[in-house]
């Protein structure tokens, strides 16, 4: 399969450890995290108790790293 990668950060710094969801499915990783994904479009959500959810749409391209900084 053709893959790229995503690097997900949450801001401000004290939101480290936020839960990560891709297309509505919870991942085992928490912020900050970098992991491979198949190419395509994804909806990234990060959730942390006491903060509003942050959402961003990303596009994963072949052999490229997609940065996703989400701000609460």
């Amino acid at each position: 399969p053709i893959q790229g990668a995503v690097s997900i950060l949450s801001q401000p710094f004290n939101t480290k450890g936020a839960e990560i969801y891709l297309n509505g499915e919870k991942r085992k990783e928490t912020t900050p995290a970098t992991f491979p994904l198949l190419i395509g479009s994804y909806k990234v959500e990060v959730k942390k108790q006491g903060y509003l959810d942050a959402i961003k749409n990303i596009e994963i391209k072949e052999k490229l790293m997609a940065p996703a900084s989400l701000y609460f």
Side-chain angles (χ1 to χ4, degrees):
I2 301 172
Q3 291 187 333
V6 64
S7 177
I8 301 175
L9 303 173
S10 58
Q11 299 288 335
F13 182 75
N14 64 345
T15 60
K16 179 181 174 185
E19 296 176 332
I20 299 170
Y21 292 77
L22 285 179
N23 295 338
E25 293 186 25
K26 185 177 177 181
R27 299 278 305 194
K28 64 180 181 185
E29 300 91 346
T30 59
T31 61
T34 300
F35 47 88
L37 287 175
L38 296 176
I39 60 169
S41 299
Y42 295 87
K43 180 172 90 172
V44 178
E45 296 176 79
V46 290
K47 300 180 181 190
K48 179 90 172 176
Q49 187 172 359
Y51 293 87
L52 294 174
D53 297 349
I55 301 170
K56 184 173 188 175
N57 292 311
I58 62 167
E59 182 77 24
I60 301 298
K61 297 183 180 178
E62 185 176 357
K63 298 181 184 176
L64 296 177
M65 174 78 65
S69 292
L70 291 102
Y71 297 88
F72 286 101

